[in-house]
Amino acid sequence: EAGVVQSPRYKIIEKKQPVAFWCNPISGHNTLYWYRQNLGQGPELLIRYENEEAVDDSQLPKDRFSAERLKGVDSTLKIQPAELGDSAVYLCASSPLWGSYNEQFFGPGTRLTVL
Amino acid sequence: GENVEQHPSTLSVQEGDSAVIKCTYSDSASNYFPWYKQELGKRPQLIIDIRSNVGEKKDQRIAVTLNKTAKHFSLHITETQPEDSAVYFCAASIGNFNKFYFGSGTKLNVKP
């Protein structure tokens, strides 16, 4: 079984440019998460989807960040425009079902560097 | 919301010694506590978890203990090996809601 897939793995952009990250969760996983992980810190939730519905986006900086999960499978996270402070690793994770104890499976992450 | 605190931030042990990492949480409704290991440049991977209906769980050299009254849980690694060197994260979740709160991580260095 393939794990969570993310692309690109690395991205270097100049500030004020847009950037997009893509995630393909494990087949059949209803819950999808986007996290931001700053160097030396734990993952911080940006947004959580149950199928195609964003059920928790309270930590998403909505002035510049947006996300979508069309058809409840793949998801895209976008930043426009990027700022220097957005440099971090963006992790996608998925888990099987809502309403039960579930392990999260993480993707390899996208390392974003904003110059 | 939940607040998870983890310490120490760094831990250095000699190969063969034991290592203990501690986490506290604030929301008494949290009932699922996973631990993740993240090697440099790699994804976090679950190594052990515990649910609130048990006080201890063990898997070979790794064990986790939970004290619900005090709202803290700990990771114990015995007979440490150099390949145990990594960053370890604890997390807490209210199981029905699939929302995880992570600690800030502990960088474990096992010296050969």
Side-chain angles (χ1 to χ4, degrees), chain A residues 22-42:
Chain A
W22 175 80
C23 173
N24 178 237
I26 293 173
S27 178
H29 282 197
N30 302 77
T31 308
L32 183 145
Y33 309 78
W34 281 104
Y35 290 93
R36 176 168 57 193
Q37 186 176 26
N38 292 311
L39 189 63
Q41 299 191 12

Side-chain angles (χ1 to χ4, degrees), chain B residues 11-72:
Chain B
L11 179 59
S12 188
V13 300
Q14 205 66 40
E15 182 177 0
D17 289 349
S18 295
V20 181
I21 303 170
K22 299 180 179 181
C23 288
T24 61
Y25 61 99
S26 60
D27 192 337
S28 57
S30 291
N31 56 6
Y32 174 59
F33 307 92
W35 285 89
Y36 293 85
K37 176 182 180 181
Q38 187 174 28
E39 297 178 21
L40 188 63
K42 296 190 176 180
R43 70 189 76 191
Q45 291 197 303
L46 181 74
I47 55 171
I48 195 167
D49 57 13
I50 191 168
R51 309 193 194 292
S52 60
N53 58 346
V54 299
E56 183 174 358
K57 183 177 179 180
K58 189 173 182 180
D59 183 4
Q60 300 182 339
R61 296 186 297 109
I62 295 172
V64 57
T65 59
L66 171 66
N67 183 327
K68 288 190 294 182
T69 302
K71 295 208 271 289
H72 67 70

Side-chain angles (χ1 to χ4, degrees), chain A residues 11-104:
Chain A
K11 190 73 177 179
I12 301 174
I13 60 172
E14 294 189 345
K15 63 181 181 182
K16 300 185 181 179
Q17 294 300 304
V19 64
F21 314 125
W22 175 80
C23 173
N24 178 237
I26 293 173
S27 178
H29 282 197
N30 302 77
T31 308
L32 183 145
Y33 309 78
W34 281 104
Y35 290 93
R36 176 168 57 193
Q37 186 176 26
N38 292 311
L39 189 63
Q41 299 191 12
E44 294 178 317
L45 181 70
L46 292 173
I47 190 167
R48 177 167 61 99
Y49 283 92
E50 299 291 346
N51 297 308
E52 66 273 12
E53 182 183 359
V55 296
D56 186 349
D57 63 356
S58 57
Q59 302 286 84
L60 190 72
K62 297 181 184 64
D63 57 335
R64 297 183 300 108
F65 286 64
S66 64
E68 61 182 13
R69 191 185 184 197
L70 300 175
K71 301 181 181 179
V73 182
D74 295 1
S75 178
T76 302
L77 178 69
K78 297 179 181 177
I79 308 175
Q80 183 171 10
E83 298 179 352
L84 295 176
D86 296 331
S87 294
V89 175
Y90 291 81
L91 291 164
C92 179
S94 69
S95 62
L97 288 171
W98 184 88
S100 60
Y101 302 104
N102 285 305
E103 178 182 349
Q104 284 186 107

Side-chain angles (χ1 to χ4, degrees), chain B residues 95-110:
Chain B
N96 286 345
F97 297 101
N98 271 355
K99 183 169 182 176
F100 294 81
Y101 297 86
F102 285 82
S104 54
T106 296
K107 184 175 182 180
L108 174 64
N109 179 35
V110 180

